[in-house]
Amino acid sequence: MIRKVLALLLLFIPAVAQAEWYEARSSHFIVYSDGSRDDAQAYAEKLERFDYVLRTLHRVDSSRAVNPLRVFLFSGAGEVGDMVGASSIAGYYVPDARAQIFVGTRSQARGTSGSRTSRSARMDPETVLLHEYSHHFMYQNFPASYPTWYSEGFAEFWGATRFLDGNVVEIGLPAEHRFSTFHILGWLPLDRMLTAHSYADVGGENVFLLYAQGWLMMRYVFNHPERKRQLDEYLRLINGGASYEDAMRQAFPDLSTFNSELYEYAGRGRFDVVRLPFRELPVGEITIRELRPAENALIEHEIKLSQGYVHTEAADFAEDVREIAGRYPADPFALSVLMEAERLAGNEEAAIAAADRLLALGAPSARAMPA
């Protein structure tokens, strides 16, 4: 009797709805959003516009990407944090060859307008997305050795881009989420910044100054061509084999003067924003589809396969994938994820069996969710 009562009660308990994911495919991106069809399209359009701006201003060919960046957008930061076993984070980029993915949140995607007055000191999800895509753009189009401060400064500068009505783009917006760092941590002498290979070279909270002063440097050289030439020479020397110290001394013989210039520049109360009118900001063709049930059920596993996980978790991960994929025995995506999970867990026979089933379906490739 008790079991019958419990069974009846369960009928009235609403099931937890699984998020419905949509794919928006464009020339340079594949956006997966757990929101709505419109959310997926809005982000694909915004990313294509941003890509067009970067390619135009950096004189990079705008043809279709060979490997479009995959962008996975959850509804909240908590879900993003779950992907890396951390507290809530706004987003992250994985540049590995297997991956080249961005994982983030999908809020604040709609609309094209923006202004300095609407920006807060907190890094919003959209800024995170543009910041991380700036990294991807630089790594893909200008492969070289970059000091950490430069890499972050480049991403901070371009990631603050905002789109206004009438195809007008604002660049040079203060990275307010970083800029308050100066009030808290003070100033990192320029010689320390220019000789820092990585975050560890400045230590502790000074890491945040690499972001703030990296942005400041990029903003300053944007309006000072002579300093831009010196910065380009510094990077050329580093990539030619010079030590960071030698590159700094040769490229910036007046380093003390430059340090004073930047310090004074940081103390300005206002920063001019550059507004660039474009004749058009094309987005190209975008196709939208709702993911199949198997893709929906395994999308988080696909993300984890792309970003990697510790070897000790491989057996549990494969077991989880095995259970879910078993519900979709004829879905090529489920079989491809299962095949890879079994292989990484060392289950060669199971991986081969999944591969044979995949081939029997006549799937065009081992990756049923295009990458």
Side-chain angles (χ1 to χ4, degrees):
M1 182 65 183
I2 294 177
R3 289 182 180 176
K4 291 182 179 180
V5 172
L6 289 175
L8 288 172
L9 287 174
L10 286 173
L11 293 176
F12 295 96
I13 298 177
V16 177
Q18 183 176 339
E20 293 183 352
W21 287 78
Y22 290 86
E23 174 195 271
R25 181 179 289 267
S26 64
S27 294
H28 302 96
F29 304 92
I30 306 175
V31 176
Y32 300 101
S33 172
D34 77 345
S36 65
R37 183 181 297 268
D38 290 344
D39 287 325
Q41 172 135 359
Y43 256 111
E45 290 176 353
K46 184 173 287 291
L47 282 167
E48 283 293 345
R49 291 189 185 99
F50 184 52
D51 178 79
Y52 180 81
V53 169
L54 291 179
R55 289 175 182 274
T56 300
L57 297 180
H58 290 90
R59 296 181 175 85
V60 173
D61 177 40
S62 61
S63 60
R64 178 177 293 272
V66 176
N67 294 308
L69 177 67
R70 290 186 298 160
V71 176
F72 297 87
L73 300 173
F74 288 91
S75 60
E79 296 161 292
V80 177
D82 288 343
M83 289 294 96
V84 289
S87 57
S88 297
I89 58 176
Y92 58 92
Y93 168 63
V94 181
D96 295 340
R98 163 62 176 81
Q100 293 191 344
I101 64 172
F102 170 79
V103 180
T105 61
R106 58 178 169 77
S107 56
Q108 302 185 30
R110 294 188 181 183
T112 58
S113 63
S115 68
R116 282 171 286 179
T117 58
S118 66
R119 290 175 51 80
S120 69
R122 186 174 181 179
M123 198 171 188
D124 63 80
E126 188 174 300
T127 300
V128 174
L129 175 59
L130 300 189
H131 173 107
E132 298 298 346
Y133 182 65
S134 297
H135 279 311
H136 178 79
F137 178 85
M138 185 177 77
Y139 298 152
Q140 294 298 303
N141 295 291
F142 310 110
S145 177
Y146 296 105
T148 298
W149 71 263
Y150 180 87
S151 177
E152 297 300 351
F154 182 94
E156 289 290 296
F157 179 82
W158 292 106
T161 299
R162 286 293 176 268
F163 297 87
L164 307 181
D165 294 332
N167 293 330
V168 175
V169 178
E170 280 189 338
I171 61 176
L173 286 156
E176 296 171 9
H177 50 277
R178 304 290 187 194
F179 211 70
S180 58
T181 303
F182 292 126
H183 299 291
I184 301 170
L185 300 178
W187 181 257
L188 188 67
L190 196 54
D191 60 340
R192 285 194 63 193
M193 185 179 84
L194 292 175
T195 56
H197 292 241
S198 65
Y199 306 110
D201 288 341
V202 295
E205 291 185 332
N206 284 333
V207 165
F208 299 108
L209 285 172
L210 288 185
Y211 286 82
Q213 288 182 217
W215 173 85
L216 188 74
M217 173 78 86
M218 298 302 295
R219 183 66 186 86
Y220 189 81
V221 302
F222 187 80
N223 282 351
H224 295 80
E226 179 54 37
R227 292 302 187 190
K228 176 65 166 59
R229 284 190 287 270
Q230 287 181 302
L231 177 58
D232 290 344
E233 176 66 5
Y234 161 82
L235 295 173
R236 187 192 68 79
L237 289 167
I238 288 175
N239 282 276
S243 69
Y244 281 33
E245 291 79 5
D246 287 344
M248 176 188 68
R249 283 192 291 267
Q250 292 182 51
F252 300 101
D254 59 342
L255 186 65
S256 178
T257 300
F258 191 20
N259 183 78
S260 298
E261 289 176 16
L262 279 179
Y263 184 81
E264 181 179 348
Y265 189 66
R268 294 178 55 174
R270 295 176 60 86
F271 284 86
D272 295 331
V273 173
V274 179
R275 289 187 173 180
L276 300 177
F278 284 77
R279 181 174 301 174
E280 61 175 346
L281 291 172
V283 299
E285 180 182 0
I286 297 176
T287 57
I288 312 290
R289 72 178 181 93
E290 184 176 357
L291 297 194
R292 302 189 304 273
E295 294 172 309
N296 228 35
L298 286 165
I299 193 166
E300 293 185 10
H301 297 80
E302 168 64 17
I303 293 172
K304 289 183 178 179
L305 281 172
S306 295
Q307 68 193 27
Y309 50 85
V310 295
H311 180 70
T312 54
E313 297 176 358
D316 290 339
F317 183 83
E319 182 179 0
D320 194 27
V321 171
R322 197 179 305 128
E323 190 277 325
I324 298 173
R327 307 173 203 161
Y328 311 98
D331 188 275
F333 176 69
L335 289 171
S336 67
V337 173
L338 176 62
M339 176 183 65
E340 190 167 358
E342 297 284 23
R343 180 182 63 81
L344 292 173
N347 303 325
E348 295 299 330
E349 290 186 6
I352 292 172
D356 288 342
R357 290 160 58 195
L358 186 61
L359 290 172
L361 292 175
S365 70
R367 302 306 303 165
M369 179 183 284

